[in-house]
Amino acid sequence: MAEEVKLFGMWASPFSRRIEVALKMKGIQYEYIEEDLSNKSPSLLNYNPVHKKVPVLLHKGKPVAESLVILEYIDETWKQNPILPADPYEKAMARFWAKFLDEKLWPAAKKVVLSKGEEHKGLIEEIQEHLKTLESELKEKKFFGGESLGFVDIAANIIFWLLVVQETLGLDILTEDKFPGLHEWNHRLLDDAVFKECVSMERLLASFKVRFGALTASK
């Protein structure tokens, strides 16, 4: 009998997509429950009473919340196709860069959408400093994890979302001339069969243009 695995998520959330990518990389069968974040289900609130957010993974009736925590849980529970490195130092570094993405890049990227004037300019500069750091870490590697998609690459899917926001709002943040390595990495991400199955750039662009398109006139 197959193990009960359920994922409570939202299609446009990069954090939910992280978990779908990991489950599909592992070949795990799961039930996906789409959440309306404006009207959260009783199940979501019950399984994640602290943060009340997606994603939540339910495995054998036990909930696990927060995307990076879930990724590690998945990797430790299902050993095939490892996401994290086996070497303790490399594993620690992968956790470090994943935290950097969530604690440094993502907050600034969220704020830039609604910002104006000097605040907007300052946030773009802040984002680009973080991107320079990531470009330096990537170096000549195909992926942050080396030759194949790994923990940091899955966490770094927020860079893909940043590119979608950039195109939607007509911004010049992550340009190919300034960040050639990250652009090449993004192309490899888009070419990855599992990532393509989980993320639709066309659908995201259409949704973001409806949601944020009116903001371009006021920038």
Side-chain angles (χ1 to χ4, degrees), residues 90-126:
E90 291 181 3
K91 186 178 291 185
M93 289 300 96
R95 289 170 174 152
F96 172 87
W97 288 111
K99 281 196 70 175
F100 176 86
L101 286 155
D102 278 7
E103 295 179 4
K104 296 292 186 180
L105 180 61
W106 181 249
K110 282 196 302 182
K111 290 177 187 175
V112 80
V113 174
L114 298 175
S115 64
K116 295 181 181 180
E118 287 302 311
E119 182 190 16
H120 184 73
K121 181 181 177 183
L123 283 167
I124 288 178
E125 290 174 356
E126 179 184 345

PDB file of all heavy atoms in Angstrom, residues 90-126:
ATOM      1  N   GLU A  90      29.807  20.305   2.685  1.00  0.00           N
ATOM      2  CA  GLU A  90      29.028  20.729   1.524  1.00  0.00           C
ATOM      3  C   GLU A  90      27.541  20.855   1.866  1.00  0.00           C
ATOM      4  O   GLU A  90      26.849  21.746   1.372  1.00  0.00           O
ATOM      5  CB  GLU A  90      29.224  19.743   0.371  1.00  0.00           C
ATOM      6  CG  GLU A  90      30.632  19.790  -0.218  1.00  0.00           C
ATOM      7  CD  GLU A  90      30.800  18.817  -1.374  1.00  0.00           C
ATOM      8  OE1 GLU A  90      29.807  18.156  -1.749  1.00  0.00           O
ATOM      9  OE2 GLU A  90      31.936  18.717  -1.879  1.00  0.00           O
ATOM     10  N   LYS A  91      27.060  19.974   2.729  1.00  0.00           N
ATOM     11  CA  LYS A  91      25.662  20.049   3.176  1.00  0.00           C
ATOM     12  C   LYS A  91      25.422  21.334   3.967  1.00  0.00           C
ATOM     13  O   LYS A  91      24.404  22.012   3.782  1.00  0.00           O
ATOM     14  CB  LYS A  91      25.327  18.831   4.036  1.00  0.00           C
ATOM     15  CG  LYS A  91      23.866  18.727   4.441  1.00  0.00           C
ATOM     16  CD  LYS A  91      23.607  17.474   5.257  1.00  0.00           C
ATOM     17  CE  LYS A  91      23.743  16.223   4.404  1.00  0.00           C
ATOM     18  NZ  LYS A  91      23.380  14.989   5.149  1.00  0.00           N
ATOM     19  N   ALA A  92      26.368  21.670   4.849  1.00  0.00           N
ATOM     20  CA  ALA A  92      26.258  22.906   5.630  1.00  0.00           C
ATOM     21  C   ALA A  92      26.246  24.129   4.718  1.00  0.00           C
ATOM     22  O   ALA A  92      25.481  25.081   4.939  1.00  0.00           O
ATOM     23  CB  ALA A  92      27.397  22.995   6.638  1.00  0.00           C
ATOM     24  N   MET A  93      27.098  24.106   3.681  1.00  0.00           N
ATOM     25  CA  MET A  93      27.150  25.223   2.744  1.00  0.00           C
ATOM     26  C   MET A  93      25.848  25.344   1.936  1.00  0.00           C
ATOM     27  O   MET A  93      25.377  26.446   1.660  1.00  0.00           O
ATOM     28  CB  MET A  93      28.347  25.063   1.796  1.00  0.00           C
ATOM     29  CG  MET A  93      29.696  25.284   2.458  1.00  0.00           C
ATOM     30  SD  MET A  93      29.893  26.954   3.173  1.00  0.00           S
ATOM     31  CE  MET A  93      29.443  26.667   4.889  1.00  0.00           C
ATOM     32  N   ALA A  94      25.266  24.227   1.577  1.00  0.00           N
ATOM     33  CA  ALA A  94      23.987  24.245   0.862  1.00  0.00           C
ATOM     34  C   ALA A  94      22.906  24.884   1.728  1.00  0.00           C
ATOM     35  O   ALA A  94      22.114  25.707   1.252  1.00  0.00           O
ATOM     36  CB  ALA A  94      23.577  22.828   0.469  1.00  0.00           C
ATOM     37  N   ARG A  95      22.886  24.533   3.009  1.00  0.00           N
ATOM     38  CA  ARG A  95      21.914  25.144   3.933  1.00  0.00           C
ATOM     39  C   ARG A  95      22.175  26.643   4.070  1.00  0.00           C
ATOM     40  O   ARG A  95      21.232  27.445   4.146  1.00  0.00           O
ATOM     41  CB  ARG A  95      22.012  24.460   5.290  1.00  0.00           C
ATOM     42  CG  ARG A  95      21.470  23.037   5.301  1.00  0.00           C
ATOM     43  CD  ARG A  95      21.820  22.348   6.595  1.00  0.00           C
ATOM     44  NE  ARG A  95      21.198  21.024   6.693  1.00  0.00           N
ATOM     45  CZ  ARG A  95      21.702  20.011   7.380  1.00  0.00           C
ATOM     46  NH1 ARG A  95      22.856  20.155   8.020  1.00  0.00           N
ATOM     47  NH2 ARG A  95      21.068  18.853   7.435  1.00  0.00           N
ATOM     48  N   PHE A  96      23.452  27.019   4.124  1.00  0.00           N
ATOM     49  CA  PHE A  96      23.811  28.434   4.237  1.00  0.00           C
ATOM     50  C   PHE A  96      23.254  29.238   3.063  1.00  0.00           C
ATOM     51  O   PHE A  96      22.631  30.292   3.258  1.00  0.00           O
ATOM     52  CB  PHE A  96      25.333  28.579   4.298  1.00  0.00           C
ATOM     53  CG  PHE A  96      25.811  30.002   4.220  1.00  0.00           C
ATOM     54  CD1 PHE A  96      25.907  30.768   5.365  1.00  0.00           C
ATOM     55  CD2 PHE A  96      26.142  30.572   2.986  1.00  0.00           C
ATOM     56  CE1 PHE A  96      26.330  32.097   5.292  1.00  0.00           C
ATOM     57  CE2 PHE A  96      26.560  31.898   2.905  1.00  0.00           C
ATOM     58  CZ  PHE A  96      26.659  32.659   4.065  1.00  0.00           C
ATOM     59  N   TRP A  97      23.469  28.752   1.835  1.00  0.00           N
ATOM     60  CA  TRP A  97      23.037  29.496   0.660  1.00  0.00           C
ATOM     61  C   TRP A  97      21.517  29.506   0.516  1.00  0.00           C
ATOM     62  O   TRP A  97      20.941  30.493   0.051  1.00  0.00           O
ATOM     63  CB  TRP A  97      23.720  28.959  -0.594  1.00  0.00           C
ATOM     64  CG  TRP A  97      25.161  29.327  -0.645  1.00  0.00           C
ATOM     65  CD1 TRP A  97      26.242  28.502  -0.527  1.00  0.00           C
ATOM     66  CD2 TRP A  97      25.696  30.655  -0.771  1.00  0.00           C
ATOM     67  NE1 TRP A  97      27.405  29.221  -0.568  1.00  0.00           N
ATOM     68  CE2 TRP A  97      27.113  30.544  -0.725  1.00  0.00           C
ATOM     69  CE3 TRP A  97      25.122  31.908  -0.918  1.00  0.00           C
ATOM     70  CZ2 TRP A  97      27.940  31.654  -0.823  1.00  0.00           C
ATOM     71  CZ3 TRP A  97      25.949  33.022  -1.008  1.00  0.00           C
ATOM     72  CH2 TRP A  97      27.341  32.895  -0.970  1.00  0.00           C
ATOM     73  N   ALA A  98      20.872  28.444   0.921  1.00  0.00           N
ATOM     74  CA  ALA A  98      19.405  28.432   0.894  1.00  0.00           C
ATOM     75  C   ALA A  98      18.842  29.492   1.848  1.00  0.00           C
ATOM     76  O   ALA A  98      17.889  30.203   1.524  1.00  0.00           O
ATOM     77  CB  ALA A  98      18.880  27.048   1.251  1.00  0.00           C
ATOM     78  N   LYS A  99      19.454  29.604   3.045  1.00  0.00           N
ATOM     79  CA  LYS A  99      19.030  30.632   3.999  1.00  0.00           C
ATOM     80  C   LYS A  99      19.319  32.025   3.454  1.00  0.00           C
ATOM     81  O   LYS A  99      18.526  32.958   3.646  1.00  0.00           O
ATOM     82  CB  LYS A  99      19.753  30.450   5.341  1.00  0.00           C
ATOM     83  CG  LYS A  99      19.172  29.366   6.220  1.00  0.00           C
ATOM     84  CD  LYS A  99      19.658  29.483   7.655  1.00  0.00           C
ATOM     85  CE  LYS A  99      19.059  30.699   8.332  1.00  0.00           C
ATOM     86  NZ  LYS A  99      19.409  30.793   9.766  1.00  0.00           N
ATOM     87  N   PHE A 100      20.454  32.186   2.788  1.00  0.00           N
ATOM     88  CA  PHE A 100      20.795  33.478   2.183  1.00  0.00           C
ATOM     89  C   PHE A 100      19.709  33.899   1.194  1.00  0.00           C
ATOM     90  O   PHE A 100      19.267  35.060   1.182  1.00  0.00           O
ATOM     91  CB  PHE A 100      22.145  33.365   1.469  1.00  0.00           C
ATOM     92  CG  PHE A 100      22.549  34.608   0.720  1.00  0.00           C
ATOM     93  CD1 PHE A 100      23.222  35.632   1.370  1.00  0.00           C
ATOM     94  CD2 PHE A 100      22.256  34.751  -0.630  1.00  0.00           C
ATOM     95  CE1 PHE A 100      23.581  36.785   0.683  1.00  0.00           C
ATOM     96  CE2 PHE A 100      22.615  35.897  -1.330  1.00  0.00           C
ATOM     97  CZ  PHE A 100      23.281  36.918  -0.675  1.00  0.00           C
ATOM     98  N   LEU A 101      19.260  32.975   0.377  1.00  0.00           N
ATOM     99  CA  LEU A 101      18.217  33.266  -0.606  1.00  0.00           C
ATOM    100  C   LEU A 101      16.922  33.710   0.066  1.00  0.00           C
ATOM    101  O   LEU A 101      16.308  34.697  -0.348  1.00  0.00           O
ATOM    102  CB  LEU A 101      17.955  32.031  -1.475  1.00  0.00           C
ATOM    103  CG  LEU A 101      19.026  31.719  -2.515  1.00  0.00           C
ATOM    104  CD1 LEU A 101      19.016  30.242  -2.872  1.00  0.00           C
ATOM    105  CD2 LEU A 101      18.805  32.578  -3.762  1.00  0.00           C
ATOM    106  N   ASP A 102      16.524  33.001   1.106  1.00  0.00           N
ATOM    107  CA  ASP A 102      15.246  33.296   1.764  1.00  0.00           C
ATOM    108  C   ASP A 102      15.305  34.517   2.680  1.00  0.00           C
ATOM    109  O   ASP A 102      14.307  35.227   2.831  1.00  0.00           O
ATOM    110  CB  ASP A 102      14.779  32.083   2.566  1.00  0.00           C
ATOM    111  CG  ASP A 102      14.090  31.050   1.699  1.00  0.00           C
ATOM    112  OD1 ASP A 102      14.090  31.209   0.460  1.00  0.00           O
ATOM    113  OD2 ASP A 102      13.560  30.060   2.243  1.00  0.00           O
ATOM    114  N   GLU A 103      16.464  34.766   3.278  1.00  0.00           N
ATOM    115  CA  GLU A 103      16.553  35.837   4.265  1.00  0.00           C
ATOM    116  C   GLU A 103      17.111  37.139   3.703  1.00  0.00           C
ATOM    117  O   GLU A 103      16.906  38.203   4.310  1.00  0.00           O
ATOM    118  CB  GLU A 103      17.407  35.379   5.456  1.00  0.00           C
ATOM    119  CG  GLU A 103      16.759  34.235   6.228  1.00  0.00           C
ATOM    120  CD  GLU A 103      17.610  33.758   7.399  1.00  0.00           C
ATOM    121  OE1 GLU A 103      18.672  34.374   7.657  1.00  0.00           O
ATOM    122  OE2 GLU A 103      17.211  32.772   8.049  1.00  0.00           O
ATOM    123  N   LYS A 104      17.794  37.077   2.575  1.00  0.00           N
ATOM    124  CA  LYS A 104      18.377  38.275   1.980  1.00  0.00           C
ATOM    125  C   LYS A 104      17.709  38.669   0.661  1.00  0.00           C
ATOM    126  O   LYS A 104      17.192  39.774   0.513  1.00  0.00           O
ATOM    127  CB  LYS A 104      19.881  38.067   1.756  1.00  0.00           C
ATOM    128  CG  LYS A 104      20.693  37.877   3.024  1.00  0.00           C
ATOM    129  CD  LYS A 104      20.735  39.156   3.854  1.00  0.00           C
ATOM    130  CE  LYS A 104      21.675  39.000   5.043  1.00  0.00           C
ATOM    131  NZ  LYS A 104      21.732  40.228   5.877  1.00  0.00           N
ATOM    132  N   LEU A 105      17.724  37.750  -0.311  1.00  0.00           N
ATOM    133  CA  LEU A 105      17.208  38.088  -1.635  1.00  0.00           C
ATOM    134  C   LEU A 105      15.690  38.228  -1.648  1.00  0.00           C
ATOM    135  O   LEU A 105      15.147  39.203  -2.177  1.00  0.00           O
ATOM    136  CB  LEU A 105      17.651  37.035  -2.653  1.00  0.00           C
ATOM    137  CG  LEU A 105      17.186  37.269  -4.098  1.00  0.00           C
ATOM    138  CD1 LEU A 105      17.732  38.587  -4.634  1.00  0.00           C
ATOM    139  CD2 LEU A 105      17.611  36.115  -4.995  1.00  0.00           C
ATOM    140  N   TRP A 106      14.977  37.246  -1.082  1.00  0.00           N
ATOM    141  CA  TRP A 106      13.523  37.232  -1.187  1.00  0.00           C
ATOM    142  C   TRP A 106      12.844  38.443  -0.544  1.00  0.00           C
ATOM    143  O   TRP A 106      11.951  39.047  -1.165  1.00  0.00           O
ATOM    144  CB  TRP A 106      12.962  35.932  -0.613  1.00  0.00           C
ATOM    145  CG  TRP A 106      11.471  35.825  -0.699  1.00  0.00           C
ATOM    146  CD1 TRP A 106      10.577  35.846   0.323  1.00  0.00           C
ATOM    147  CD2 TRP A 106      10.685  35.695  -1.898  1.00  0.00           C
ATOM    148  NE1 TRP A 106       9.294  35.725  -0.150  1.00  0.00           N
ATOM    149  CE2 TRP A 106       9.327  35.644  -1.513  1.00  0.00           C
ATOM    150  CE3 TRP A 106      11.007  35.629  -3.254  1.00  0.00           C
ATOM    151  CZ2 TRP A 106       8.292  35.506  -2.427  1.00  0.00           C
ATOM    152  CZ3 TRP A 106       9.980  35.497  -4.172  1.00  0.00           C
ATOM    153  CH2 TRP A 106       8.631  35.451  -3.761  1.00  0.00           C
ATOM    154  N   PRO A 107      13.217  38.877   0.664  1.00  0.00           N
ATOM    155  CA  PRO A 107      12.549  40.046   1.248  1.00  0.00           C
ATOM    156  C   PRO A 107      12.675  41.302   0.393  1.00  0.00           C
ATOM    157  O   PRO A 107      11.708  42.055   0.233  1.00  0.00           O
ATOM    158  CB  PRO A 107      13.259  40.220   2.604  1.00  0.00           C
ATOM    159  CG  PRO A 107      13.756  38.861   2.931  1.00  0.00           C
ATOM    160  CD  PRO A 107      14.162  38.255   1.621  1.00  0.00           C
ATOM    161  N   ALA A 108      13.870  41.540  -0.164  1.00  0.00           N
ATOM    162  CA  ALA A 108      14.068  42.714  -1.015  1.00  0.00           C
ATOM    163  C   ALA A 108      13.282  42.591  -2.309  1.00  0.00           C
ATOM    164  O   ALA A 108      12.704  43.567  -2.801  1.00  0.00           O
ATOM    165  CB  ALA A 108      15.554  42.899  -1.309  1.00  0.00           C
ATOM    166  N   ALA A 109      13.241  41.381  -2.870  1.00  0.00           N
ATOM    167  CA  ALA A 109      12.509  41.152  -4.121  1.00  0.00           C
ATOM    168  C   ALA A 109      11.015  41.390  -3.936  1.00  0.00           C
ATOM    169  O   ALA A 109      10.337  41.925  -4.825  1.00  0.00           O
ATOM    170  CB  ALA A 109      12.760  39.736  -4.627  1.00  0.00           C
ATOM    171  N   LYS A 110      10.474  41.012  -2.785  1.00  0.00           N
ATOM    172  CA  LYS A 110       9.052  41.245  -2.511  1.00  0.00           C
ATOM    173  C   LYS A 110       8.748  42.738  -2.413  1.00  0.00           C
ATOM    174  O   LYS A 110       7.737  43.209  -2.922  1.00  0.00           O
ATOM    175  CB  LYS A 110       8.634  40.553  -1.207  1.00  0.00           C
ATOM    176  CG  LYS A 110       8.418  39.076  -1.307  1.00  0.00           C
ATOM    177  CD  LYS A 110       7.643  38.549  -0.106  1.00  0.00           C
ATOM    178  CE  LYS A 110       8.340  38.845   1.201  1.00  0.00           C
ATOM    179  NZ  LYS A 110       7.606  38.284   2.365  1.00  0.00           N
ATOM    180  N   LYS A 111       9.622  43.475  -1.745  1.00  0.00           N
ATOM    181  CA  LYS A 111       9.384  44.900  -1.511  1.00  0.00           C
ATOM    182  C   LYS A 111       9.478  45.727  -2.790  1.00  0.00           C
ATOM    183  O   LYS A 111       8.795  46.739  -2.937  1.00  0.00           O
ATOM    184  CB  LYS A 111      10.393  45.444  -0.493  1.00  0.00           C
ATOM    185  CG  LYS A 111      10.187  44.945   0.926  1.00  0.00           C
ATOM    186  CD  LYS A 111      11.281  45.500   1.829  1.00  0.00           C
ATOM    187  CE  LYS A 111      11.221  44.910   3.218  1.00  0.00           C
ATOM    188  NZ  LYS A 111      12.370  45.376   4.057  1.00  0.00           N
ATOM    189  N   VAL A 112      10.331  45.303  -3.723  1.00  0.00           N
ATOM    190  CA  VAL A 112      10.587  46.134  -4.904  1.00  0.00           C
ATOM    191  C   VAL A 112       9.344  46.297  -5.767  1.00  0.00           C
ATOM    192  O   VAL A 112       9.182  47.311  -6.463  1.00  0.00           O
ATOM    193  CB  VAL A 112      11.754  45.546  -5.741  1.00  0.00           C
ATOM    194  CG1 VAL A 112      11.299  44.380  -6.616  1.00  0.00           C
ATOM    195  CG2 VAL A 112      12.396  46.630  -6.610  1.00  0.00           C
ATOM    196  N   VAL A 113       8.425  45.352  -5.689  1.00  0.00           N
ATOM    197  CA  VAL A 113       7.220  45.401  -6.526  1.00  0.00           C
ATOM    198  C   VAL A 113       6.381  46.633  -6.229  1.00  0.00           C
ATOM    199  O   VAL A 113       5.874  47.290  -7.144  1.00  0.00           O
ATOM    200  CB  VAL A 113       6.378  44.118  -6.315  1.00  0.00           C
ATOM    201  CG1 VAL A 113       5.050  44.220  -7.057  1.00  0.00           C
ATOM    202  CG2 VAL A 113       7.139  42.886  -6.778  1.00  0.00           C
ATOM    203  N   LEU A 114       6.225  46.974  -4.957  1.00  0.00           N
ATOM    204  CA  LEU A 114       5.349  48.077  -4.564  1.00  0.00           C
ATOM    205  C   LEU A 114       6.100  49.363  -4.234  1.00  0.00           C
ATOM    206  O   LEU A 114       5.473  50.361  -3.878  1.00  0.00           O
ATOM    207  CB  LEU A 114       4.503  47.656  -3.354  1.00  0.00           C
ATOM    208  CG  LEU A 114       3.561  46.473  -3.579  1.00  0.00           C
ATOM    209  CD1 LEU A 114       2.870  46.087  -2.273  1.00  0.00           C
ATOM    210  CD2 LEU A 114       2.516  46.791  -4.647  1.00  0.00           C
ATOM    211  N   SER A 115       7.420  49.343  -4.364  1.00  0.00           N
ATOM    212  CA  SER A 115       8.212  50.504  -3.963  1.00  0.00           C
ATOM    213  C   SER A 115       8.245  51.567  -5.065  1.00  0.00           C
ATOM    214  O   SER A 115       7.971  51.295  -6.232  1.00  0.00           O
ATOM    215  CB  SER A 115       9.641  50.071  -3.632  1.00  0.00           C
ATOM    216  OG  SER A 115      10.276  49.548  -4.789  1.00  0.00           O
ATOM    217  N   LYS A 116       8.603  52.781  -4.653  1.00  0.00           N
ATOM    218  CA  LYS A 116       8.713  53.904  -5.591  1.00  0.00           C
ATOM    219  C   LYS A 116       9.902  54.777  -5.211  1.00  0.00           C
ATOM    220  O   LYS A 116      10.407  54.708  -4.091  1.00  0.00           O
ATOM    221  CB  LYS A 116       7.438  54.764  -5.560  1.00  0.00           C
ATOM    222  CG  LYS A 116       6.178  54.068  -6.042  1.00  0.00           C
ATOM    223  CD  LYS A 116       4.985  55.010  -5.981  1.00  0.00           C
ATOM    224  CE  LYS A 116       3.711  54.323  -6.433  1.00  0.00           C
ATOM    225  NZ  LYS A 116       2.530  55.227  -6.390  1.00  0.00           N
ATOM    226  N   GLY A 117      10.318  55.600  -6.154  1.00  0.00           N
ATOM    227  CA  GLY A 117      11.319  56.618  -5.882  1.00  0.00           C
ATOM    228  C   GLY A 117      12.637  56.085  -5.355  1.00  0.00           C
ATOM    229  O   GLY A 117      13.175  55.094  -5.842  1.00  0.00           O
ATOM    230  N   GLU A 118      13.146  56.764  -4.327  1.00  0.00           N
ATOM    231  CA  GLU A 118      14.440  56.409  -3.754  1.00  0.00           C
ATOM    232  C   GLU A 118      14.431  55.021  -3.127  1.00  0.00           C
ATOM    233  O   GLU A 118      15.434  54.304  -3.172  1.00  0.00           O
ATOM    234  CB  GLU A 118      14.861  57.453  -2.715  1.00  0.00           C
ATOM    235  CG  GLU A 118      15.291  58.785  -3.314  1.00  0.00           C
ATOM    236  CD  GLU A 118      16.445  58.635  -4.287  1.00  0.00           C
ATOM    237  OE1 GLU A 118      17.441  57.969  -3.929  1.00  0.00           O
ATOM    238  OE2 GLU A 118      16.356  59.169  -5.410  1.00  0.00           O
ATOM    239  N   GLU A 119      13.301  54.663  -2.514  1.00  0.00           N
ATOM    240  CA  GLU A 119      13.200  53.328  -1.931  1.00  0.00           C
ATOM    241  C   GLU A 119      13.343  52.261  -3.014  1.00  0.00           C
ATOM    242  O   GLU A 119      14.046  51.257  -2.833  1.00  0.00           O
ATOM    243  CB  GLU A 119      11.862  53.141  -1.221  1.00  0.00           C
ATOM    244  CG  GLU A 119      11.729  51.769  -0.560  1.00  0.00           C
ATOM    245  CD  GLU A 119      10.326  51.459  -0.065  1.00  0.00           C
ATOM    246  OE1 GLU A 119       9.381  52.155  -0.474  1.00  0.00           O
ATOM    247  OE2 GLU A 119      10.178  50.497   0.711  1.00  0.00           O
ATOM    248  N   HIS A 120      12.687  52.507  -4.163  1.00  0.00           N
ATOM    249  CA  HIS A 120      12.738  51.570  -5.286  1.00  0.00           C
ATOM    250  C   HIS A 120      14.175  51.420  -5.789  1.00  0.00           C
ATOM    251  O   HIS A 120      14.665  50.298  -5.977  1.00  0.00           O
ATOM    252  CB  HIS A 120      11.831  52.088  -6.399  1.00  0.00           C
ATOM    253  CG  HIS A 120      11.718  51.177  -7.574  1.00  0.00           C
ATOM    254  ND1 HIS A 120      11.012  49.998  -7.541  1.00  0.00           N
ATOM    255  CD2 HIS A 120      12.222  51.274  -8.834  1.00  0.00           C
ATOM    256  CE1 HIS A 120      11.083  49.407  -8.722  1.00  0.00           C
ATOM    257  NE2 HIS A 120      11.813  50.153  -9.514  1.00  0.00           N
ATOM    258  N   LYS A 121      14.843  52.548  -5.952  1.00  0.00           N
ATOM    259  CA  LYS A 121      16.235  52.531  -6.422  1.00  0.00           C
ATOM    260  C   LYS A 121      17.132  51.791  -5.440  1.00  0.00           C
ATOM    261  O   LYS A 121      17.980  50.980  -5.831  1.00  0.00           O
ATOM    262  CB  LYS A 121      16.730  53.972  -6.598  1.00  0.00           C
ATOM    263  CG  LYS A 121      18.159  54.074  -7.107  1.00  0.00           C
ATOM    264  CD  LYS A 121      18.587  55.532  -7.238  1.00  0.00           C
ATOM    265  CE  LYS A 121      20.040  55.649  -7.665  1.00  0.00           C
ATOM    266  NZ  LYS A 121      20.482  57.074  -7.728  1.00  0.00           N
ATOM    267  N   GLY A 122      16.942  52.053  -4.147  1.00  0.00           N
ATOM    268  CA  GLY A 122      17.757  51.405  -3.129  1.00  0.00           C
ATOM    269  C   GLY A 122      17.540  49.904  -3.081  1.00  0.00           C
ATOM    270  O   GLY A 122      18.490  49.133  -2.889  1.00  0.00           O
ATOM    271  N   LEU A 123      16.291  49.470  -3.281  1.00  0.00           N
ATOM    272  CA  LEU A 123      15.997  48.038  -3.262  1.00  0.00           C
ATOM    273  C   LEU A 123      16.608  47.327  -4.461  1.00  0.00           C
ATOM    274  O   LEU A 123      17.103  46.207  -4.334  1.00  0.00           O
ATOM    275  CB  LEU A 123      14.478  47.825  -3.243  1.00  0.00           C
ATOM    276  CG  LEU A 123      13.804  48.061  -1.887  1.00  0.00           C
ATOM    277  CD1 LEU A 123      12.296  48.137  -2.048  1.00  0.00           C
ATOM    278  CD2 LEU A 123      14.177  46.965  -0.892  1.00  0.00           C
ATOM    279  N   ILE A 124      16.580  47.969  -5.620  1.00  0.00           N
ATOM    280  CA  ILE A 124      17.205  47.372  -6.800  1.00  0.00           C
ATOM    281  C   ILE A 124      18.702  47.191  -6.565  1.00  0.00           C
ATOM    282  O   ILE A 124      19.284  46.147  -6.892  1.00  0.00           O
ATOM    283  CB  ILE A 124      16.940  48.227  -8.055  1.00  0.00           C
ATOM    284  CG1 ILE A 124      15.469  48.096  -8.476  1.00  0.00           C
ATOM    285  CG2 ILE A 124      17.863  47.806  -9.209  1.00  0.00           C
ATOM    286  CD1 ILE A 124      15.075  48.930  -9.665  1.00  0.00           C
ATOM    287  N   GLU A 125      19.331  48.207  -5.974  1.00  0.00           N
ATOM    288  CA  GLU A 125      20.765  48.104  -5.671  1.00  0.00           C
ATOM    289  C   GLU A 125      21.029  46.982  -4.676  1.00  0.00           C
ATOM    290  O   GLU A 125      22.007  46.235  -4.808  1.00  0.00           O
ATOM    291  CB  GLU A 125      21.272  49.440  -5.116  1.00  0.00           C
ATOM    292  CG  GLU A 125      21.317  50.550  -6.168  1.00  0.00           C
ATOM    293  CD  GLU A 125      21.687  51.899  -5.574  1.00  0.00           C
ATOM    294  OE1 GLU A 125      21.828  51.980  -4.322  1.00  0.00           O
ATOM    295  OE2 GLU A 125      21.845  52.867  -6.342  1.00  0.00           O
ATOM    296  N   GLU A 126      20.163  46.855  -3.684  1.00  0.00           N
ATOM    297  CA  GLU A 126      20.317  45.788  -2.689  1.00  0.00           C
ATOM    298  C   GLU A 126      20.179  44.409  -3.342  1.00  0.00           C
ATOM    299  O   GLU A 126      20.981  43.503  -3.091  1.00  0.00           O
ATOM    300  CB  GLU A 126      19.265  45.939  -1.587  1.00  0.00           C
ATOM    301  CG  GLU A 126      19.358  44.854  -0.527  1.00  0.00           C
ATOM    302  CD  GLU A 126      18.263  44.947   0.522  1.00  0.00           C
ATOM    303  OE1 GLU A 126      17.589  45.992   0.611  1.00  0.00           O
ATOM    304  OE2 GLU A 126      18.069  43.954   1.258  1.00  0.00           O
TER     305      GLU A 126
END
